[in-house]
Amino acid sequence: MKRFSIFTLTIIMTVACLATVIFAYEMNFDMYSAGDSFADDEDWTTSVAKSGGAYVTIKNVDDTNNCVESYHTNSSYYNEEMVEPYTFSLDIRDTDGKGWAGCFIRTSIESNTKVLRLNESDRKLPWTENDHSAMEAGSAVVNSKVSASLVGAAGIGLRTVPGKNHITLFVKTYDLSRRRSINNIVYNIPVEKDLKAEFISVTFEDDNAGLVKVKFDDALVAQVEYSNLGSYEEELYLEGEYYKTAVIKDAGGNVIAQSDSSIIYKDSVLVLFTRGAKMQFDNISIGAYEIPSAPTEKPADPTEKPADPTEKPADPTEKPADPTEKPADPTEKPADPTEKPADPDHSETGDFGIVALVFVAISAVAIISCVLVKKKARV
C-alpha cells in the first residue's frame, strides 16, 4: 500500500511539472471583477502614465467575459524572460481606433530603462515613446518618404493603425540617419476584421533559434528570421547582445524587408503597450513551443543487392506464404516415400478430441471415486 501511494504521488507530481512546462501563463481575466487593477497581477510589471486619466484595469466584454483595458500611455511586461522556444498569443481590440497600441517580443528591459545616446539628446526611449523614425537626424520635420514613426527602441512588435485595415509588423533597427538613431523595417499585414468592433487573435511562435512565425486567428501571416548576434557597444547604444540581421517574409516566404542593423534582443521580454490610445487585451497565453520536426526519410542500404533484371516476376495468382508458418527444419529426416499415407479421417484434431474425452472420463471417475470414498468414510 505504501509503495502504491508513493507511485501515485510520483505520477501526480510528474503530470503537474509537465503542465507547468507546457503553459507558463494562461489568463482570460474572468476570475477578476470589473474595475480591478491589472497592475496588481504579480506575473506582470505595469507602468501607468500619471496624467491624462490613464488606467490599466479589468473591463467587462459582455455579461460573462472580462478583459484588460489599457487607456492612454502605459506598458506591462511579463516578468520572466523567454530563453527557450515559446509561444505568446493574445486577443486584441483597438476600441477607439487611434492605433498606437499593440505588443512586443524579443525586446529588453534595458531598452526600456537605460539612457540612450541619440542624435536628438541623451534620454530614455521606453516602449511607449515615439521613436521619431519618420524624422531625419537634426530635423523636426516628418519625411513622408519613410515609414511613419513607431515606438520603442528594441524588439519585434505589432501595432494597430488608425483607420486602416491592417496591422503593422515592425522590427527595430539602428539608423544614424534618423532623428533618434532608430528606424524600423515594416510589413503592413492586411486584416478583414473591424478592429474597433472585433477582437483578433495574434500569436508569435518563436523557436529561439532564428525564426518567429506570426499568426492572426491561427493563420500564418508573416515570418521574421533573425541572426548575427552582436552588440552596439561602439555607440554605447544598448547594453546586452542583439541579433543584427533580420528578414521579414510574408506567409509564402517572399521577402518583404530586411536589415543588417536590427535590434532584436538575444532573449525575449514580452510587452503590452498603448500610447495615447485605448486597447483591450484578452486570453493571454504564454507557453512552451514544440518545434515541428521535419520528416526524415530512411536512406537506402548501400550494401543491399540490386534486383536481378532477368528474374521471373512473381505469379500474381500465386497464394502468398503464411507468415505464421513455422520454417522447415533443415536437419529433419525426409519422408519415407514407401510409408503408408495418413488416414485423412484420422486428423490431429480428432486425436486431440479423443485425448480430451479420455481426460474427461478419467477425471469423472476420479471425482466419483472421491465422493464414494467420502460417503464410505461417513458410514
Side-chain angles (χ1 to χ4, degrees), residues 293-313:
S293 55
T296 55
E297 187 175 339
K298 187 178 179 180
D301 184 358
T303 63
E304 187 175 349
K305 186 178 180 180
D308 185 356
T310 63
E311 187 176 348
K312 185 179 179 181

Side-chain angles (χ1 to χ4, degrees), residues 69-125:
E69 184 172 278
S70 177
Y71 172 68
H72 210 281
T73 304
N74 316 305
S75 65
S76 302
Y77 69 86
Y78 189 60
N79 291 330
E80 182 179 350
E81 290 188 7
M82 302 292 105
V83 296
E84 300 290 342
Y86 68 92
T87 63
F88 174 38
S89 65
L90 66 162
D91 299 344
I92 60 173
R93 180 166 67 173
D94 183 2
T95 56
D96 65 1
K98 292 183 178 179
W100 287 100
C103 54
F104 277 99
I105 66 166
R106 301 208 79 92
T107 186
S108 65
I109 295 175
E110 287 83 0
S111 70
N112 185 62
T113 57
K114 298 290 184 181
V115 173
L116 312 178
R117 176 175 292 179
L118 306 169
N119 281 325
E120 183 184 58
S121 63
D122 286 347
R123 57 171 294 172
K124 291 181 182 179
L125 189 62

Side-chain angles (χ1 to χ4, degrees), residues 348-377:
E348 289 184 10
T349 305
D351 290 342
F352 178 78
I354 292 171
V355 172
L357 287 173
V358 171
F359 176 77
V360 171
I362 294 174
S363 300
V365 171
I367 293 171
I368 293 170
S369 300
C370 290
V371 171
L372 292 176
V373 169
K374 287 183 179 180
K375 285 185 177 180
K376 187 176 181 180

Side-chain angles (χ1 to χ4, degrees), residues 181-200:
S181 301
I182 295 174
N183 209 341
N184 307 272
I185 54 173
V186 302
Y187 176 26
N188 293 321
I189 306 171
V191 294
E192 297 180 357
K193 289 184 172 180
D194 178 359
L195 298 179
K196 285 184 64 175
E198 300 177 81
F199 278 96
I200 186 170

